[in-house]
């Protein structure tokens, strides 16, 4: 059986089979601080799911957030 290789995407991160991001990953992708990413989550500007103290951001939610930002330009 063949194993999938994790290959870097255009941004240079491994994105194979990832469906959720953590706040520090979102911050890195957006070029903002982790604290700013958490403020976006708490303010419901970026949709996410909270499990205990941990936030998870669906990949599709981040993509939609970026589309909204781009359409506002």
């Amino acid at each position: 059986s063949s194993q999938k290789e994790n290959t870097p995407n255009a941004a240079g991160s491994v994105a194979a089979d990832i469906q959720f991001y953590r706040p520090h990953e979102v911050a890195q992708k957006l070029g903002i601080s982790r604290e700013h990413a958490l403020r976006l989550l708490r303010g419901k500007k970026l949709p996410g799911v909270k499990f205990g103290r941990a936030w998870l951001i669906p990949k599709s939610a981040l993509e939609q957030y970026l589309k909204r930002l781009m359409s506002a330009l």
Side-chain angles (χ1 to χ4, degrees), residues 5 7-8 10 12 15 20-21 31 35 40 45-46 51 63 70-71:
E5 283 187 18
T7 55
F20 291 92
Y21 293 114
E35 290 74 22
L40 291 173
K45 294 186 178 181
L46 176 62
F51 289 103
E63 290 168 352
M70 295 306 289
S71 69

Side-chain angles (χ1 to χ4, degrees), residues 36-71:
H36 190 155
L38 291 170
R39 281 195 299 272
L40 291 173
L41 288 162
R42 287 191 291 263
K44 302 194 187 310
K45 294 186 178 181
L46 176 62
V49 180
K50 193 170 183 185
F51 289 103
R53 294 180 55 179
W55 281 97
L56 295 176
I57 301 93
K59 182 178 178 182
S60 59
L62 179 59
E63 290 168 352
Q64 290 173 359
Y65 177 76
L66 290 172
K67 284 180 187 176
R68 282 195 313 271
L69 285 179
M70 295 306 289
S71 69

Side-chain angles (χ1 to χ4, degrees), residues 11-22:
S13 65
V14 176
D17 299 326
I18 294 176
Q19 296 185 7
F20 291 92
Y21 293 114
R22 300 290 306 270

